[in-house]
């Protein structure tokens, strides 16, 4: 309660024109903060979090069907894998994380291990990497790899084939996606 009263006092003590207040509201500026940019929009704005959940939420309920040729796969390794496709994420969390990163950062990174190179091997779980933890490696105008920094700070060099990178078009960087939050 004390924090609410303090924030209200802070807000009242600042003078805004209606135009400034409207602009601040529409752009998500926290008027109690000293910065005018959302550094972590999903954490800092209930508007951003709610908007993303409204877009991504229904995706979790869409049925997904797998096929081998024309034959629908109804059980087996693929179905078992899809029930828990990513490290430390349930299927629902995987879809939410992927869709949320796509909306926030304009790109999704799914990291694959060597089992994905062998068509007969049981596929290991993917890693959903945070876009800020990924760095593209370009040599002579060609993407030659990615460097992923894990939660422990270790860096892993990956081949382009080990990274599924889905991205929104970015007119300023052809290697990376452009998220809606950057606007």
């Amino acid at each position: 309660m004390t924090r609410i009263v303090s924030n209200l006092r802070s807000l009242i003590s600042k003078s805004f024109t209606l135009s400034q207040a409207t602009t601040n509201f529409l752009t998500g500026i926290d008027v109690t903060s000293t910065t005018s940019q959302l550094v972590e929009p999903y954490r800092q704005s209930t508007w951003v979090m709610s908007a993303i959940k409204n877009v991504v939420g229904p995706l979790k309920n869409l049925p997904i069907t797998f096929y081998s040729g024309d034959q629908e796969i109804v059980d087996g390794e693929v179905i078992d894998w899809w029930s828990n496709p990513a490290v430390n994420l349930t299927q629902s969390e995987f879809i939410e994380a992927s869709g949320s990163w796509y909306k926030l950062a304009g790109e999704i990174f799914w990291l694959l291990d060597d089992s994905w190179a062998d068509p007969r091997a049981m596929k290991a779980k993917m890693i959903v990497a945070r876009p800020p933890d990924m760095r593209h490696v370009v040599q002579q105008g060609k993407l030659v790899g990615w460097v992923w920094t894990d939660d422990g700070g270790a860096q892993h060099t990956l081949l382009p084939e080990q990274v599924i990178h889905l991205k929104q078009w970015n007119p300023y960087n052809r290697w990376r996606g452009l998220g809606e939050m950057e606007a």
Side-chain angles (χ1 to χ4, degrees), residues 35-102:
T35 65
S36 62
Q37 184 178 3
L38 292 174
V39 178
E40 295 179 329
Y42 194 79
R43 179 191 312 255
Q44 292 175 277
S45 171
T46 50
W47 294 103
V48 171
M49 182 186 280
S50 295
I52 288 174
K53 286 189 178 288
N54 279 328
V55 171
V56 175
L59 297 177
K60 296 188 285 187
N61 297 321
L62 291 176
I64 294 179
T65 307
F66 294 96
Y67 289 89
S68 178
D70 292 337
Q71 187 69 24
E72 181 179 345
I73 300 172
V74 293
D75 61 3
E77 292 178 353
V78 173
I79 303 302
D80 292 342
W81 173 83
W82 179 243
S83 68
N84 194 4
V87 174
N88 296 325
L89 297 173
T90 65
Q91 177 190 39
S92 177
E93 292 167 335
F94 169 77
I95 293 168
E96 185 172 5
S98 298
S100 296
W101 277 122
Y102 195 72

